[in-house]
Amino acid sequence: MSFEHVDYTSLDIPAAPFSDPSVVPDFPQGKVPRHVGVIMDGNGRWAQQRGLVRTEGHKAAEPVVFDTIAAAIESGVRYLSLYTFSTENWKRSPSEVRFLMGFSRDIIHRRVDQMNEWGVRVRWSGRRPKLWKSVIDELEVAMEKTKNNTTLDVVFCINYGGRAEIADAATQIARKIASGEIKGSKVTEKMISQHLYNPDIPDADLVIRTSGEQRTSNFLPWEAAYSELDFVPELFPDCGRDVFFRAIDDYIHRDRRFGGVKK
């Protein structure tokens, strides 16, 4: 499957160093991670380094998001979780929060047909409280429109926090204990997993964080307990499918033992 490369000529910012979209590595079958999470970090710093306001960095990230989605499809990844807006991001300036809410809503609205054409199923992970209703409305329209697609599930983690997700799962379980549906002594790890936001999605095999920062920032703490981590130096607007392919290739060559010993 091939995709038309993004046209950057309309952007009033320097073009990022993207790889040739016609070049796709031939990854070994069965070795590619099923679920990849991406912490899309560095947009604000990218803009500030160029003397621009922080919101220009978020604008520059839009084509990178879809280059990343295309690379995931071409690599054979089945699930892609994108850390879009965290529960902690509400601490940012009101103007930046307003921009991020409106921009997230507009991107989903403008790009849903493209994602549908690519066979992408749109998913959402996060809390409803505080999240703009207009963002939720666009997410729900996109999820309904793409619900039968099976090429790649893209999970937009908007108003998402890993600890909040676990707390919400615990709250659901506590209610069932209180109602007598389950016994408190019978709570298991599997039960907690079944009460996460998207329990049908497998644990993350690989988590990529851009910008050189080496922390996971409350992203998928339960689902990424045994994930391989890749901290890449590029700021997110400077990333392209070449960075994603490099991370996949590195993952393929790692030795995953899940606490055991390789025989």
Side-chain angles (χ1 to χ4, degrees), residues 197-238:
Y197 294 146
N198 290 292
D200 62 303
I201 296 178
D203 287 348
D205 299 298
L206 170 66
V207 172
I208 304 166
R209 182 182 184 132
T210 63
S211 87
E213 300 290 350
Q214 298 189 20
R215 57 181 178 273
T216 57
S217 298
N218 200 20
F219 182 54
L220 304 178
W222 185 277
E223 300 91 329
Y226 277 98
S227 295
E228 296 296 315
L229 306 178
D230 196 339
F231 301 107
V232 303
E234 293 88 350
L235 300 173
F236 187 68
D238 286 330

Side-chain angles (χ1 to χ4, degrees), residues 105 108-109 133-143:
R105 175 195 61 212
I108 295 164
H109 179 78
K133 183 179 182 299
S134 59
V135 177
I136 295 174
D137 289 345
E138 289 296 343
L139 282 165
E140 290 180 340
V141 168
M143 288 189 288

Side-chain angles (χ1 to χ4, degrees), residues 23-235:
V23 177
V24 180
D26 185 17
F27 294 121
Q29 188 173 5
K31 296 291 187 179
V32 173
R34 290 189 70 204
H35 182 187
V36 177
V38 182
I39 302 172
M40 304 180 291
D41 191 33
N43 297 341
R45 277 170 285 162
W46 184 93
Q48 290 170 335
Q49 287 176 4
R50 290 160 175 76
L52 304 170
V53 295
R54 288 177 57 85
T55 53
E56 291 302 309
H58 299 308
K59 291 179 183 178
E62 178 182 349
V64 185
V65 168
F66 288 88
D67 208 54
T68 300
I69 292 173
I73 293 172
E74 293 176 331
S75 300
V77 171
R78 185 59 185 82
Y79 302 92
L80 179 67
S81 292
L82 301 174
Y83 207 6
T84 308
F85 187 92
S86 77
T87 50
E88 290 72 40
N89 287 155
W90 296 104
K91 300 174 185 176
R92 296 187 178 186
S93 69
S95 60
E96 185 172 0
V97 169
R98 283 195 299 272
F99 174 85
L100 287 169
M101 287 291 103
F103 194 50
S104 298
R105 175 195 61 212
D106 294 345
I107 286 176
I108 295 164
H109 179 78
R110 287 187 285 101
R111 296 279 196 162
V112 63
D113 288 337
Q114 181 182 27
M115 289 188 284
N116 193 38
E117 181 182 345
W118 287 4
V120 168
R121 180 184 177 187
V122 175
R123 309 283 294 268
W124 169 42
S125 188
R127 280 181 161 175
R128 284 180 175 268
K130 294 187 73 172
L131 185 57
W132 284 16
K133 183 179 182 299
S134 59
V135 177
I136 295 174
D137 289 345
E138 289 296 343
L139 282 165
E140 290 180 340
V141 168
M143 288 189 288
E144 177 64 24
K145 188 168 189 175
T146 63
K147 65 182 180 182
N148 295 319
N149 292 340
T150 58
T151 300
L152 173 71
D153 284 28
V154 174
V155 186
F156 291 99
C157 300
I158 305 177
N159 197 26
Y160 173 85
R163 289 182 174 180
E165 180 180 25
I166 296 170
D168 289 347
T171 298
Q172 291 184 59
I173 294 170
R175 287 178 183 147
K176 291 182 178 180
I177 292 172
S179 68
E181 186 176 341
I182 60 176
K183 294 182 179 180
S185 60
K186 299 296 183 182
V187 175
T188 63
E189 291 183 14
K190 182 178 180 181
M191 185 181 296
I192 294 172
S193 294
Q194 291 171 339
H195 288 82
L196 298 177
Y197 294 146
N198 290 292
D200 62 303
I201 296 178
D203 287 348
D205 299 298
L206 170 66
V207 172
I208 304 166
R209 182 182 184 132
T210 63
S211 87
E213 300 290 350
Q214 298 189 20
R215 57 181 178 273
T216 57
S217 298
N218 200 20
F219 182 54
L220 304 178
W222 185 277
E223 300 91 329
Y226 277 98
S227 295
E228 296 296 315
L229 306 178
D230 196 339
F231 301 107
V232 303
E234 293 88 350
L235 300 173

